[in-house]
Amino acid sequence: MPVWDPDIYQRYKAYRDRPALDLMLQIPRDLEPREIWDLGCGTGEHAALLAVRHPSARVHGLDTSPEMLARGRAMRADIDWVLGDIATFAPEIPPDLIFTNAALQWVDDHAALFPRLMGLLAPGGVLACQIPVVADDGWRRSLREVAADGPWASRLADIERVRSGVDPRPYHDWLSPLSQDLDVWVTTYVHALGGDDPIVDWTSGTSLRPYLEAFSDPDERAAFLTAWRERLAVDYPRRDDGATLFPFTRLFVVARRR
């Protein structure tokens, strides 16, 4: 996983929060959780909201980033902030709710991961998940192509990337035998971003960061960014009102264990 920059990540907080809040609204209203885990909790706002929504629950936030967890710990000391990896997540007490927003796309082998997470839940517990639907077009394709076409190509070849493509149908197939209730859906958000360089800004705290960290020469880094900006200007032209429209599709899953 990339090393996150909390300040840059928070720059588009309102846009990043929307899918998490939409997901939270679909958690069954009759669920009365005692143990809640937010996997890939980031800076902790969603774990904090879950703690407000379920005041009698013990809330845990797990993330691989000490910098992100430090932000959460400063916000709410009563939440159990845990440095750890989702791939090896193994709670001592079965959770009643596993909530995870824009994190599982970084974990391999979803065919095994999703049933494993369901198996960790207490009976009747809920897995609530949102992950980006990573298409091969748009900004990800141009970033990959620019990385592969230049003097930096060999240096960027081994950068770990988010998985390509998310088909919602296998998630239904993996989870339906384990679920008493299952809802899988896809939503495309069309973000109207302001500023001169919004897509570079959006990605510089997450997906773009490992590319930038691979450069030791600032001039070469600048040349790489210039090449990508030229592609983005064609694919995502600024509208007459000054906004850059940035469609972003996300997959949602809410599954209740049998």
Side-chain angles (χ1 to χ4, degrees), residues 139-159 161 208 210-212 214-215 220 223-225 227-228 231:
W139 67 270
R140 290 189 185 273
R141 180 182 62 191
S142 64
L143 177 60
R144 184 177 65 248
E145 291 175 352
V146 169
D149 183 22
W152 45 71
S154 61
R155 196 173 316 123
L156 302 180
D158 295 330
I159 289 178
R161 298 173 177 86
L208 180 60
Y211 291 89
L212 300 182
F215 291 99
E220 191 176 32
F224 170 76
L225 283 175
W228 192 38
R231 289 287 301 273

Side-chain angles (χ1 to χ4, degrees), residues 1-4 40-42 62-69 82-87:
M1 291 183 65
V3 177
W4 307 115
C41 63
L62 180 139
D63 205 278
T64 58
S65 168
E67 296 83 5
M68 293 288 203
L69 291 172
V82 179
L83 184 67
D85 190 337
I86 295 171

